[in-house]
Amino acid sequence: MLKLPRVALLIQSNLEYGRGLLRGIGSYLQTHESWSVFYRVGMLPESLSPELRKWRPQGIIGQFETRQVLRQVRHLRIPTVNLFGLHEFRNNSCFGVDHAAISRMVADYFLELGYRNFAYCGFQKVFYSQRRGEAFVDYLARKGYSVEVFASPESGANTGVFEIEAAGQFDIPRIGRWLQAMPKPLALMAGTDNRARQVLEACRLFDCRVPEEVAVLGVGNDEVLCNLSDPPLTSVALRPEKIGYEAAALLGRLMKGESCPSEPTLHGPLCIVPRQSTNSLGMTDPLLRETIRFFQEHFTDGVSVADAARHVGVSRSTLQRRFVEILGRSPRDELVRVQLDRVQELLRGTTLSINKISEQTGFDYAESLIRLFKRKIGKTPTEYRSQFVDVL
């Protein structure tokens, strides 16, 4: 009888990110090789179970949250792929998320919307939340902006990252009072989608209007959490399926005798998925706000900058000067941004042809859309869409 390699998966499945990792691992197994898998649904274990050790796995892929688990895994002396990178652990391969790249993407998104007041709300002692916050503060500081950071209380008896996130529900009154004192309009990055939901609840309780006064953006794009939020939450989509797939492929090679990579493998975010929680502009200039509102309402009609200038009652040169002074880009650039935001939304969420998308977003020809999209986004529309159809 054929004996399959025995592989343990220590991955939490309560949130979409963990399920994405598992989908990626499953995709690898369906297309490359077969394993006998040890897996338990639910939260991460604080230590390896006796049943697992008795099973004698030949490889492990895991989110290793505690040093105790890492010590026990090390003592097994088997090929290991670490999906957290939380603790230093010799002779294992680390796969994970590029937290600095996430924060840069969020900062650039808010800057493009015209925001100049920034805040970050995460969790102390949750390593990925801390790294995202530090990167957000550092990146905006280099752009000349400061960031107000919420000082979350000590986690008390909660030591696991997911328990700390759940206990953050008790921070809501403090978050609300903190937000009330912030200058508006405010662009707030939350460390995770769960934290962003808590921020939105604080805004509701303390009468901070979202997104008009506070625009809120999370990380993870957990569609259940994002759509349970009020209003629906804008979030950064990550690449858990790709990480899971590549982690499984590496473990397969390690179990065949290949040596561990010397450096961690980090994957940047996929994109920002806009929803209602950031559906507002950060600038207060009434001329710019009315111009952008005009673009948003009429871009499908093929309007021009000249049309917008007539609508707001100024010359085209005056409109050009105000946009460059306040936003650092031209009215034409803003019109293109509005169009391409809608193009990306249609590419992600529909199967419409490129010809149909060009018709619905104000382009005369599909070829014009393709050229502009490639220049601005760095990919063709088809390449962009393929990331969401086949993330592996």
Side-chain angles (χ1 to χ4, degrees), residues 101-114:
I102 291 171
S103 297
R104 291 194 298 269
M105 178 180 281
V106 173
D108 287 338
Y109 176 81
F110 280 141
L111 287 169
E112 194 169 63
L113 289 176

Side-chain angles (χ1 to χ4, degrees), residues 85-374:
L86 172 56
H87 306 293
E88 293 296 328
F89 177 28
R90 278 182 313 151
N91 300 324
N92 83 128
S93 301
C94 290
F95 271 80
V97 174
D98 187 336
H99 302 294
I102 291 171
S103 297
R104 291 194 298 269
M105 178 180 281
V106 173
D108 287 338
Y109 176 81
F110 280 141
L111 287 169
E112 194 169 63
L113 289 176
Y115 285 93
R116 298 298 180 261
N117 302 313
F118 302 96
Y120 182 83
C121 185
F123 300 97
Q124 288 188 13
K125 296 188 177 180
V126 174
F127 73 101
Y128 46 81
S129 178
Q130 288 181 307
R131 291 175 188 174
R132 291 166 191 171
E134 291 163 0
F136 190 63
V137 170
D138 179 66
Y139 183 71
L140 282 169
R142 285 186 274 121
K143 296 281 188 179
Y145 301 100
S146 61
V147 178
E148 295 291 337
V149 178
F150 177 70
S152 60
E154 291 296 325
S155 57
N158 298 304
T159 57
V161 294
F162 302 108
E163 287 82 0
I164 293 172
E165 285 202 31
Q169 192 75 15
F170 299 106
D171 297 339
I172 287 174
R174 295 183 67 249
I175 293 172
R177 291 189 290 271
W178 174 69
L179 287 172
Q180 282 186 321
M182 294 291 105
K184 312 292 191 307
L186 179 69
L188 184 144
M189 177 183 178
T192 66
D193 287 342
N194 201 19
R195 192 52 145 179
R197 289 190 66 246
Q198 293 161 3
V199 170
L200 290 174
E201 179 67 10
C203 289
R204 186 184 68 82
L205 292 174
F206 285 80
D207 297 320
C208 296
R209 293 178 297 131
V210 178
E212 295 82 4
E213 293 181 312
V214 182
V216 181
L217 194 153
V219 179
N221 196 41
D222 187 314
E223 292 198 2
V224 172
L225 291 179
C226 291
N227 290 310
L228 280 175
S229 301
D230 184 18
L233 175 66
T234 297
S235 186
V236 181
L238 305 178
R239 300 174 184 263
E241 290 89 351
K242 184 175 181 64
I243 293 172
Y245 184 94
E246 292 191 2
L250 175 58
L251 183 66
R253 297 195 299 270
L254 293 177
M255 290 194 297
K256 292 179 176 69
E258 184 173 308
S259 59
C260 291
S262 58
E263 296 294 331
T265 301
L266 300 180
H267 289 277
L270 186 57
C271 67
I272 289 175
V273 180
R275 297 185 181 90
Q276 191 177 340
S277 71
T278 60
N279 188 22
S280 187
L281 301 170
M283 81 287 296
T284 56
D285 184 277
L287 181 65
L288 265 63
R289 291 183 70 88
E290 180 57 25
T291 302
I292 295 172
R293 187 194 64 79
F294 177 80
F295 285 152
Q296 290 172 336
E297 292 180 357
H298 299 286
F299 72 91
T300 58
D301 304 326
V303 296
S304 66
V305 174
D307 295 329
R310 282 193 293 272
H311 174 76
V312 297
V314 299
S315 69
R316 183 169 177 169
S317 60
T318 297
L319 193 63
Q320 172 84 10
R321 185 173 62 254
R322 289 280 280 276
F323 263 81
V324 172
E325 286 175 352
I326 296 173
L327 289 182
R329 60 180 181 269
S330 70
R332 172 62 184 164
D333 291 335
E334 178 59 24
L335 176 56
V336 166
R337 184 191 71 80
V338 170
Q339 288 178 291
L340 292 187
D341 278 356
R342 179 57 176 161
V343 169
Q344 290 175 81
E345 182 181 348
L346 292 173
L347 288 170
R348 289 193 303 267
T350 76
T351 58
L352 290 174
S353 69
I354 304 303
N355 283 330
K356 285 291 186 184
I357 290 176
S358 67
E359 291 173 9
Q360 292 189 16
T361 52
F363 289 91
D364 293 329
Y365 304 101
E367 293 77 10
S368 301
L369 165 59
I370 293 169
R371 286 195 300 270
L372 184 62
F373 196 94
K374 173 71 172 177

